[in-house]
Amino acid sequence: MFPLSGSAVSPAARLRGLKPDWLNDPKVWRTEVLGGLVVALALIPEAISFSIIAGVDPAIGLFASFTMAVTISIVGGRRAMISAATGAVALVTAPMNREHGLGYLVATVILAGVFQVALGALGVAKLMRFVPRSVMVGFVNALAILIFMAQVPEMTDVPWAVYPLIAAGLVLMVFFPKVTTVIPAPLVSIVILTVVTVAAGVAVPTVGDKGELPSSLPVPGLPDVPFTLDTLTTIAPYAFAMALVGLMESLMTAKLVDEITDTRSSKTRESIGQGIANIVTGFFGGMGGCAMIGQTMINVKVSGARTRLSTFLAGTFLMVLCIVFGPVVSDIPMGALVAVMVMVSFATFDWHSIAPKTLKRMPAGEITVMAITVVVVVATHNLAIGVVVGSVTAMVVFAKRVAHLAQVTAVMDPDHATVVYRVTGELFFASSNDLVGQFDYTTDPDKVVIDLSAAHIWDASSVAALDAIETKYAQRGKTVQITGLNEPSAHLHGKLSGELTPGR
């Protein structure tokens, strides 16, 4: 609402309007700070694990998580989303590090960032509109399953005391919010379980067992590779694959956060921001990354964070915890963090989507698409592949469904001199294939009218089918008149008719 003309607005009020929400509201500030702290604690073992997958020193993954989170908090398009080192990126870049060394991996990360900036500028984010809801639900459910599966190794062949720790952590996170929501339940759970295990001297796996934490900040520099065309051709395929996987996971995560928070985000800015973050990460010697869905769920769904501050602090706290409080962080029991991630997996899964009542009402095609997305993601451990396969399946299901909507009915004039075929529905490659066989070329009179006023021509296949119908009648000395074309259909038909069949 605009102030009335001549009304006085105090400088303090004007300043408050320019400040971000977290500066105006102490409650929001507290939520963002504590959310960032919880995410930072959860990032440490994850980043170390992904470093192992990529075959690099744990510090490389931690540095990447720091630079990705801090940079994306400034240039990203989705507030409160967490970007850091991820398993998907680690899997893509691991062969590069294994075959050519760390210098080539870092160069790959920088080039991947350049690709992402270019793809973002070209509007690749607009492709997200073609991801149907059934694929999105399958993506979310597969994500929840993967988060849980990632915790299974931490619950296998471990001391018996780990299981009570995990159970206690889950109980704390379920019941503590009933007491107060001022402090995030995951943070309370981590602190209490750490104090108990240290005070009681319980021997359980800790964060320190995952790897050594860095003792200093990363230093910027150029990758140690020869700057030649041969280097470019070596890293380009891996860089492009990393760019695609990173963008797919980031844009899907952004779309998920949009739904959870009921807000919109700029997917184009997010795409470009991911590229900038990877470029910065590469120059600081990190292994690259993208949006982290599990940590984003901790930040947005569990902690309730909504601003860029939580993302920025997640990266900042990560380095502070490693460098300043390394010995303390190393004593955090892995069971406490496993409990947090198990809770996140249960909170992320869309239980309503598999309820018997929902499944009874849902079309079989939608259920199939959702199931295929889940199966492919879980089987490949690659969210991007699952989304692509799910989207293609959804398109096939849709095409098959729409193809049956095209119908042809014939009406003969009383004098039997003319027959009018009325075509209803959408004409495209799937439906037009059957169109040619629905006309009676032999017994029809000499004049045939095809009324398309209730149809729409979408592609060259439909024009070719109409040409084939005219040809079959012409071979029998009969004439065909096509009527009722709407403007787009008439334009397409006029441009392509007679040009698709050799010799016409």
Side-chain angles (χ1 to χ4, degrees):
M1 187 174 181
F2 296 100
L4 296 173
S5 178
S7 63
V9 180
S10 67
R14 200 174 286 117
L15 183 62
R16 279 197 301 272
L18 296 174
K19 290 180 180 179
D21 292 342
W22 55 269
L23 278 178
N24 292 328
D25 189 342
K27 185 178 179 182
V28 173
W29 183 86
R30 183 178 62 243
T31 299
E32 300 300 310
V33 171
L34 293 176
L37 180 57
V38 174
V39 170
L41 288 168
L43 273 175
I44 294 173
E46 293 270 311
I48 294 174
S49 298
F50 297 146
S51 299
I52 295 170
I53 292 173
V56 299
D57 188 87
I60 304 298
L62 291 165
F63 288 158
S65 297
F66 163 60
T67 54
M68 286 292 298
V70 170
T71 306
I72 206 68
S73 70
I74 301 168
V75 301
R78 172 65 260 177
R79 292 182 294 175
M81 192 166 77
I82 305 297
S83 290
T86 59
V89 169
L91 287 170
V92 173
T93 57
M96 177 58 66
N97 179 66
R98 186 169 56 250
E99 296 170 15
H100 301 280
L102 180 61
Y104 278 82
L105 184 149
V106 172
T108 300
V109 171
I110 295 173
L111 183 58
V114 173
F115 281 145
Q116 288 177 329
V117 171
L119 290 169
L122 290 172
V124 71
K126 294 178 182 177
L127 296 175
M128 290 302 296
R129 71 182 67 179
F130 296 107
V131 178
R133 185 183 179 279
S134 53
V135 174
M136 189 68 188
V137 173
F139 168 83
V140 170
N141 290 345
L143 159 68
I145 294 170
L146 287 183
I147 292 174
F148 183 84
M149 289 174 62
Q151 312 315 309
V152 173
E154 304 297 338
M155 297 184 280
T156 307
D157 296 326
V158 293
W160 68 268
V162 170
Y163 302 110
L165 275 177
I166 295 173
L170 292 172
V171 169
L172 280 168
M173 284 183 285
V174 169
F175 292 103
F176 187 80
K178 300 180 185 300
V179 178
T180 179
T181 55
V182 173
I183 304 174
L187 180 59
V188 174
S189 175
I190 291 169
V191 170
I192 290 177
L193 295 182
T194 302
V195 170
V196 168
T197 54
V198 172
V202 181
V204 292
T206 64
V207 171
D209 296 331
K210 286 288 183 180
E212 187 177 349
L213 302 181
S215 57
S216 61
L217 289 170
V219 178
L222 294 173
D224 184 18
V225 295
F227 292 89
T228 63
L229 182 61
D230 184 58
T231 299
L232 181 62
T233 55
T234 299
I235 67 175
Y238 293 94
F240 192 67
M242 174 185 162
L244 291 179
V245 169
L247 282 183
M248 179 71 75
E249 292 212 19
S250 298
L251 293 176
M252 288 296 290
T253 306
K255 188 175 180 180
L256 177 59
V257 176
D258 288 353
E259 293 184 3
I260 292 172
T261 62
D262 197 24
T263 58
R264 297 184 65 183
S265 61
S266 172
K267 306 303 185 297
T268 297
R269 178 177 173 178
E270 183 61 36
S271 301
I272 296 173
Q274 287 290 328
I276 295 172
N278 272 307
I279 292 171
V280 171
T281 297
F283 281 119
F284 275 91
M287 58 180 275
C290 61
M292 288 197 80
I293 308 175
Q295 273 63 26
T296 297
M297 290 299 100
I298 293 175
N299 196 44
V300 174
K301 206 164 187 178
V302 179
S303 300
R306 293 292 182 270
T307 76
R308 298 180 185 275
L309 179 63
S310 57
T311 306
F312 177 83
L313 289 179
T316 304
F317 283 148
L318 175 64
M319 279 294 100
V320 171
L321 289 169
C322 290
I323 296 171
V324 180
F325 300 101
V328 176
V329 173
S330 295
D331 288 334
I332 295 175
M334 283 301 300
L337 298 176
V338 168
V340 172
M341 298 310 294
V342 168
M343 181 62 73
V344 169
S345 71
F346 276 87
T348 301
F349 197 92
D350 187 350
W351 297 101
H352 176 72
S353 67
I354 61 170
K357 187 182 294 185
T358 304
L359 294 176
K360 285 181 180 178
R361 295 177 179 175
M362 193 76 68
E366 301 277 325
I367 297 173
T368 301
V369 169
M370 180 179 70
I372 287 175
T373 303
V374 171
V375 170
V376 173
V377 170
V378 173
T380 63
H381 281 62
N382 191 313
L383 293 163
I385 293 176
V387 170
V388 171
V389 173
S391 297
V392 171
T393 304
M395 291 176 187
V396 172
V397 170
F398 174 76
K400 185 177 180 181
R401 185 185 305 162
V402 175
H404 294 299
L405 297 180
Q407 297 178 342
V408 179
T409 55
V411 177
M412 185 72 70
D413 273 2
D415 57 2
H416 293 277
T418 304
V419 62
V420 178
Y421 283 94
R422 182 175 176 82
V423 181
T424 304
E426 309 300 318
L427 299 181
F428 66 112
F429 63 89
S431 59
S432 60
N433 285 335
D434 298 329
L435 191 64
V436 179
Q438 299 192 47
F439 293 80
D440 193 348
Y441 304 101
T442 303
T443 61
D444 277 344
D446 290 342
K447 186 178 180 181
V448 178
V449 177
I450 301 177
D451 180 9
L452 296 176
S453 56
H456 187 99
I457 298 175
W458 286 104
D459 60 7
S461 297
S462 302
V463 177
L466 292 172
D467 283 355
I469 293 168
E470 289 188 81
T471 300
K472 286 179 177 293
Y473 277 115
Q475 289 170 347
R476 292 166 174 79
K478 302 175 183 181
T479 61
V480 175
Q481 180 184 3
I482 297 176
T483 64
L485 289 170
N486 57 35
E487 187 175 341
S489 299
H491 176 73
L492 184 63
H493 184 265
K495 184 169 67 172
L496 297 180
S497 181
E499 303 294 329
L500 300 173
T501 304
R504 282 205 63 183

